[in-house]
């Protein structure tokens, strides 16, 4: 953590450095993790709430990506394939979440619809179907 303080001049607004240590046990195996946070706030309660909120958002997005887009099942590890596929999945998820059509289908159903319906895919990408207007 000390190296952050040595570089304090590079972080305008830096007021605190927080460290969170967590331990979890899965199938009898214990793992520990330490995370450091650079903060522009100094109230411990506010820092803790912000970190919890961030973790909640991360967990929710991971769940959303893993259920309709089985991200954890993908085994692409060569070169940049994992990062590229993650970018494509997140882009697809954002497009599906922005769909404000009248029917409120689940993300999984919207994904299936986009897979099988060219006009719907074009509407997601361009705001309107290109083939219907040609």
């Amino acid at each position: 953590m000390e190296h952050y303080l040595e570089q304090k001049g590079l972080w305008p607004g830096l007021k605190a450095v927080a460290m969170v240590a967590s331990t979890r046990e899965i199938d009898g195996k214990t793992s520990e993790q330490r995370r450091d946070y650079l903060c522009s706030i100094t109230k411990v309660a506010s820092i803790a709430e912000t970190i919890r909120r961030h973790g909640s958002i991360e967990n929710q997005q991971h769940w959303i990506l893993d259920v309709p887009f089985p991200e954890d099942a993908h085994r692409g590890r060569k070169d940049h394939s994992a990062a590229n596929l993650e970018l494509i999945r997140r882009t697809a998820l954002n497009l599906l979440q922005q769909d404000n059509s009248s029917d409120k289908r689940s993300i999984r159903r919207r994904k299936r619809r986009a897979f099988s319906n060219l006009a719907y895919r074009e509407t997601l990408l361009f705001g309107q179907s290109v083939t219907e207007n040609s």
Side-chain angles (χ1 to χ4, degrees), residues 41-74:
I41 53 180
T42 56
K43 285 186 170 181
V44 174
S46 296
I47 293 171
E49 178 60 29
T50 301
I51 291 170
R52 275 193 292 275
R53 226 176 319 129
H54 176 74
S56 173
I57 291 167
E58 287 292 320
N59 289 337
Q60 183 181 22
Q61 187 170 38
H62 177 75
W63 183 87
I64 289 171
L65 284 169
D66 197 38
V67 173
F69 300 90
E71 186 176 50
D72 288 345
H74 182 72

Side-chain angles (χ1 to χ4, degrees), residues 65 70-90:
L65 284 169
E71 186 176 50
D72 288 345
H74 182 72
R75 296 293 170 232
R77 303 285 187 261
K78 188 172 181 186
D79 299 326
H80 300 287
S81 66
N84 292 338
L85 286 168
E86 179 183 357
L87 179 63
I88 290 168
R89 282 188 207 96
R90 288 181 189 270

Side-chain angles (χ1 to χ4, degrees), residues 24-31:
R24 70 181 199 172
E25 185 176 329
I26 299 175
D27 296 330
K29 189 175 183 179
T30 302
S31 65

Side-chain angles (χ1 to χ4, degrees), residues 99-121:
D99 176 20
N100 56 3
S101 60
S102 59
D103 65 14
K104 294 297 175 192
R105 299 172 190 234
S106 69
I107 294 294
R108 184 177 289 193
R109 290 186 67 203
R110 291 178 198 183
K111 179 184 157 196
R112 255 189 251 135
R113 181 177 176 206
F115 181 74
S116 63
N117 184 325
L118 176 62
Y120 180 61
R121 247 186 341 264

